[in-house]
Amino acid sequence: MPPALLLAIFYLTRDAGSVRSFLAHAGQIDIVIPAWYTADAYGVVTGVPDQHLLEAARQHGVKVMPLIVNPDFHQPTVHALLTTPEARTRVAQSLLEECRRQQYYGIQFDFENIPAADRDALTALVRDTSTLLRRDGFRLSVATMYQTSAERPASPGYAQWLWDNWLGAYDLAELAKHAEFVSVMTYDHHTERTPPGPIAGYPWVEQIVNHCLTLIPKERFSLGIPLYGRRWYAGTARREGSQATATVHYHEAAGLAAQYQVTPTWDDRDRAPGFWFYRDGLREYVFYNDARSFRERYSLAQSYGLHSFSSWVLGAEDPAVWKELPPARR
């Protein structure tokens, strides 16, 4: 029996490289999720679509489902929005009107850095917005942080901080009841607050999938696959308790490897490439993603019969990724 075909979902920014990638590969994309909108503490939605990209998507038959976020993932903003019923209603109504104007397929919520205590309020926003959009034939999807357990970690420190501020607000089982699909972001495994390591180590991703499938039906589960990488370097950290890091795209990682004359190595356990080098006498690390690491995670999603994959972000990818994908289903 041939492996299941997955819907191909890609995120798009206004960056020129991201736009070029979309225009070059729209025929292999089922749903595009452009980062066009934000919502403030009062539920006021701000953003303007790119009409050129909208027209290109229509010509290629790509469904458009724009992203709406809390600006800079600012926690006080999203807390005020979620805990004020009038603000939640304003967001939902504004998105319905924008869907009508632009004739989108739907909208995706990507609210992050949410206090775990606001869990029920987030679910209420998703439920009410989905109900409103569906009346007019539009769809709502939700991007969520990953979870490997439904319980708050017992050990204090980083794990509890992460749960209280980033992971615990998502009631995956309830969100899946109201969302067209749930894009589970299986990234970042390692961050500026951890030692250097892969963006999405394979055993870690599989652990997330197995846990989330106890909460999300596979028909509504979209596996988040990162296309970018990260560099840990000698520099000044952005905030207390963090390290100096930078996001790197595939071509940037390849450029660093060439500049410092190092050969990236493939980690058989984490199924991802990486390398290190010395700059000014100090060791720096780069972990990134290429076509091979993409294929491993794409195959994982296929093996579980998931709804789709959702990849952040167009323009960051190894060009060979497109050789792994069939034409989009229309």
Side-chain angles (χ1 to χ4, degrees):
M1 186 176 186
L5 288 176
L6 301 174
L7 289 177
I9 302 174
F10 285 90
Y11 292 93
L12 170 68
T13 69
R14 296 184 189 271
D15 177 78
S18 192
V19 172
R20 283 195 299 270
S21 180
F22 172 68
L23 294 176
H25 303 289
Q28 292 174 273
I29 299 172
D30 294 288
I31 302 174
V32 66
I33 302 183
W36 286 344
Y37 296 98
T38 62
D40 69 11
Y42 303 99
V44 176
V45 174
T46 304
V48 178
D50 184 319
Q51 293 297 332
H52 173 64
L53 288 177
L54 260 182
E55 182 56 32
R58 290 180 181 128
Q59 289 178 359
H60 287 90
V62 182
K63 295 175 180 176
V64 180
M65 183 176 256
L67 203 63
I68 182 166
V69 303
N70 48 316
D72 299 318
F73 298 139
H74 187 241
Q75 190 172 90
T77 295
V78 76
H79 171 70
L81 165 63
L82 293 175
T83 55
T84 307
E86 295 82 4
R88 297 201 306 261
T89 298
R90 187 173 294 117
V91 164
Q93 188 62 45
S94 296
L95 293 176
L96 174 61
E97 293 169 2
E98 192 69 358
C99 283
R100 287 170 173 168
R101 274 193 296 268
Q102 307 299 340
Q103 285 301 295
Y104 293 140
Y105 175 64
I107 294 289
Q108 183 170 100
F109 282 153
D110 183 17
F111 296 124
E112 298 184 34
N113 195 16
I114 305 171
D118 292 344
R119 179 184 180 101
D120 292 343
L122 174 63
T123 299
L125 175 64
V126 170
R127 180 194 63 228
D128 295 347
T129 305
S130 178
T131 299
L132 189 65
L133 293 183
R134 281 182 180 275
R135 289 173 184 165
D136 273 33
F138 304 114
R139 300 290 183 262
L140 180 72
S141 63
V142 184
T144 74
M145 296 296 293
Y146 61 86
Q147 290 178 5
T148 57
S149 168
E151 303 298 328
R152 183 174 186 260
S155 57
Y158 175 72
Q160 285 189 353
W161 171 84
L162 193 63
W163 179 267
D164 292 343
N165 294 279
W166 289 89
L167 311 185
Y170 303 102
D171 187 338
L172 296 178
E174 286 300 313
L175 295 176
K177 293 177 182 178
H178 306 290
E180 180 78 1
F181 58 88
V182 179
S183 295
V184 180
M185 296 181 282
T186 57
Y187 48 83
D188 288 282
H189 188 186
H190 294 85
T191 73
E192 63 183 12
R193 294 179 181 270
T194 74
I199 304 303
Y202 190 90
W204 178 78
V205 171
E206 191 162 29
Q207 182 184 9
I208 293 168
V209 171
N210 281 313
H211 168 67
C212 290
L213 279 174
T214 67
L215 303 168
I216 305 171
K218 66 180 182 179
E219 297 81 8
R220 296 193 178 192
F221 190 158
S222 186
L223 180 65
I225 301 179
L227 300 175
Y228 63 93
R230 200 171 299 283
R231 174 185 180 182
W232 283 256
Y233 63 93
T236 303
R238 292 187 301 164
R239 58 176 68 88
E240 184 179 355
S242 67
Q243 304 172 65
T245 64
T247 299
V248 293
H249 293 180
Y250 172 81
H251 73 273
E252 293 170 327
L256 283 168
Q259 178 182 351
Y260 290 96
Q261 300 181 341
V262 296
T263 301
T265 58
W266 176 261
D267 188 309
D268 286 331
R269 180 182 185 276
D270 285 312
R271 304 191 196 184
F275 58 90
W276 55 265
F277 57 88
Y278 280 97
R279 182 171 68 92
D280 298 330
L282 295 172
R283 184 181 287 193
E284 299 190 4
Y285 295 86
V286 176
F287 290 89
Y288 65 107
N289 286 287
D290 61 7
R292 184 179 177 185
S293 65
F294 175 85
R295 181 171 63 249
E296 292 282 355
R297 287 145 188 81
Y298 179 84
S299 297
L300 177 67
Q302 281 185 308
S303 69
Y304 282 92
L306 302 187
H307 170 274
S308 57
F309 70 88
S310 306
S311 274
W312 181 274
V313 58
L314 285 167
E317 75 274 11
D318 175 354
V321 160
W322 300 104
K323 297 178 182 178
E324 304 295 331
L325 295 175
R329 290 185 284 171
R330 299 288 188 244

